[in-house]
Structures are given as C-alpha cells and as structure tokens.
Amino acid sequence: MRVFVTGGTGLIGSAVIAELLRNGHTVLALARSDASALAAETAGAEPLRGALADLDTLRAGVARADGVIHLAFGNDFSSPEAVAKSVAEESAALTALGEELVGSDRPFVTVSGTPWVPGRVSTEADPLPTDGLVGGRGRAVTAVLGLASRGVRSTAVRMPRTVHHQGAGGFAGLLTDIARRTGVSGYPGDGAQRWPAVHALDAAVLFRLALEQAEAGTSWHAVADEGDAVRDIAAVIGRRLGLPVQSVPTETFGPLGQIFATDQPSSSAHTRQVLGWEPKHPGLLEDLENIHR
C-alpha cells in the first residue's frame, strides 16, 4: 500500500514510517522543511514538500496514496492561544484530507489522545472530550470517524499522555524539560494521578495494524502502561538529573497544568484482543533511565 503520512519525521512518525516500510508498504511523507524532506528521504520515504496548513498539498498527497496516516500537530504549548491555533490548523487539515477520501473506501488513520473518565480507567468505547483546551481536537476526530458513512475506512488511534523513546517524548518529556529549566523535578498536587504511556516503536505497530485491519468508524488505544503515578515519573527524572523531587504549583506547567493534574489511566484491552497488538518495548519508568544530565 502507498501511504501518505503527515508528521512523519517526529518521534512517532519516524517510527511509523520505519514500521510501514518494514512491512512492505511505501510512504509519501509530508515535509515542511528541507531538513524534514532529507530525513524522510533518508528513512526511505518520498518527501512531499508542504506544511499542514497547505490544504492543496494535502489533497495532492491523498490523490497519490492508497491510504492516509495523519500524525502532524503543532508542539507549541506555551499558551492557550498557541494550543488553539494548532487545534484549528489540524481541524482544517483533517477536513481537507477526509473530503478527498470520500467514496474511496481507502483507510484514513488519524491520531488523538486517550480520554479521561472520572473515577475509572478509560476504554476505547468512551467518547473523546469535545470541550476544554483541546476539545476542538475531539470534535475534529469525531468528524473523521463519521466519514465511515461516506465511504472512508476512517479510524482513530488514541495516544496516551506519554509516547516515549530513549527517555524522551510526551508529558514525561515536558516534565524533564521543565525540571532542567527550573532545577526541580516537580509534579502537580500529591503526584498520585496516573498517566498512561507507550513506547513509540509499539505505537507504530498499532498504526500499521489499524491501517491494514481496522473497520471504519473505530477507535483504538495505544496504551502499554495503564497508568504510572506522576510522582514516580518525577522521581526517576529527578534521580537521573540529580535534582530534588517535590510537588510544585500547577501553574508551573502553563496551559497544560490542569491536564497534568488529572488522574487519567487508560486501558487497551479491546485493542489487544481485536487487533492482536502486544507491546514489546520497555515501559515508561524503565525507558526514563535513558535520561542523561
């Protein structure tokens, strides 16, 4: 299958491209810079120059592909306005990609986050939140799944709060960055809240399985660790960086503070049973041992 991939040179995307190529697919990768184009080409993909905001380029990519995997998202979490801009840009891109696929029965795999449900572990059957800081993203992904009724084999792979590789990535990576900047490995509240996690190489396998097998309108959870306590995550970061570990004000984490403070464990039991996905790489706490000062 020839697969058009957005966000193919990021932490998750580079693993997805390698997984696709290993399993006999070819890849057309959106590349917003010369460096991204070179990285895609070096990985074995054909680069297509353009940014996520270039809707005509996205449509051209779809026209040249048998299926689409969307991974691109702005990584500026410095303010609510910056996050809103990224959500709006992605929503427009998803609409353009989806409309180009209508009536084709081609697979369209998009990405979202696992939902959080007060008082229990979330499952694949739970709806995405459609309000709050990233509510627009939930609405856009829900619309993509709705394309199942219009001849698109649309599916969503929901990612946990941390997608990690060699100690980097996701919410845990942000904790590490903040620890380096502030001199304290901090966590909000009492740190008992749990974050789910997955290794990027395991997540990549699930994206391939969803592309190849998933039925239209379905959602899947790329969750290996159901929920690691944030204070345990901070403890490893602090030890690796030689920094004190302690509770800090929620405001320390900017616009993501309230999300950081939320208990949000998640299950992937349905995903494992139906798609046969089985994580094989190190869990988050073990992988964080790769952090260096």
Side-chain angles (χ1 to χ4, degrees):
M1 194 183 301
R2 183 171 177 79
V3 188
F4 178 43
V5 178
T6 71
T9 56
L11 178 74
I12 304 171
S14 57
V16 168
I17 286 179
E19 175 70 17
L20 292 172
L21 294 174
R22 263 196 310 271
N23 286 273
H25 301 291
T26 58
V27 177
L28 177 67
L30 185 70
R32 63 182 175 181
S33 67
D34 290 342
S36 292
L38 180 60
E41 200 166 26
T42 301
E46 177 188 349
L48 176 65
R49 284 301 304 269
L52 194 62
D54 300 332
L55 302 185
D56 286 341
T57 301
L58 298 184
R59 296 184 187 102
V62 174
R64 297 175 55 191
D66 304 307
V68 175
I69 295 179
H70 165 72
L71 297 166
F73 188 76
N75 59 358
D76 184 354
F77 299 103
S78 62
S79 69
E81 293 76 19
V83 176
K85 181 180 178 181
S86 294
V87 170
E89 180 181 73
E90 182 189 46
S91 297
L94 287 174
T95 298
L97 292 166
E99 288 296 329
E100 195 68 21
L101 287 163
V102 166
S104 68
D105 291 320
R106 284 177 285 172
F108 181 15
V109 185
T110 191
V111 65
S112 72
T114 51
W116 59 92
V117 181
R120 67 169 172 83
V121 173
S122 71
T123 73
E124 295 87 344
D126 289 312
L128 294 175
T130 55
D131 55 8
L133 184 66
V134 293
R137 195 175 201 199
R139 294 191 295 272
V141 172
T142 301
V144 167
L145 296 178
L147 293 172
S149 65
R150 301 178 63 196
V152 182
R153 187 160 64 81
S154 55
T155 63
V157 174
R158 298 170 170 183
M159 307 303 291
R161 299 299 164 261
T162 292
V163 182
H164 56 91
H165 190 196
Q166 293 297 307
F171 277 15
L174 292 176
L175 286 185
T176 304
D177 293 341
I178 293 168
R180 286 193 170 108
R181 188 171 71 246
T182 64
V184 173
S185 182
Y187 53 85
D190 64 4
Q193 65 271 29
R194 295 162 293 172
W195 292 350
V198 69
H199 197 287
L201 298 180
D202 288 320
V205 174
L206 182 54
F207 275 99
R208 176 181 60 80
L209 292 174
L211 178 83
E212 295 171 346
Q213 301 178 24
E215 294 184 3
T218 53
S219 297
W220 310 95
H221 280 190
V223 174
D225 302 356
E226 188 172 280
D228 295 309
V230 179
R231 63 185 173 217
D232 293 340
I233 297 170
V236 179
I237 294 170
R239 177 166 50 76
R240 297 300 299 168
L241 296 180
L243 297 174
V245 180
Q246 64 191 53
S247 177
V248 297
T250 302
E251 295 73 27
T252 304
F253 307 104
L256 294 176
Q258 288 303 317
I259 298 176
F260 274 25
T262 303
D263 186 47
Q264 44 198 295
S266 189
S267 167
S268 60
H270 175 75
T271 297
R272 298 182 193 220
Q273 179 181 6
V274 176
L275 293 184
W277 178 66
E278 193 58 49
K280 298 178 180 178
H281 291 86
L284 175 58
L285 298 180
E286 180 183 351
D287 198 30
L288 289 176
E289 296 292 345
N290 289 293
I291 293 174
H292 298 288
R293 298 189 194 187

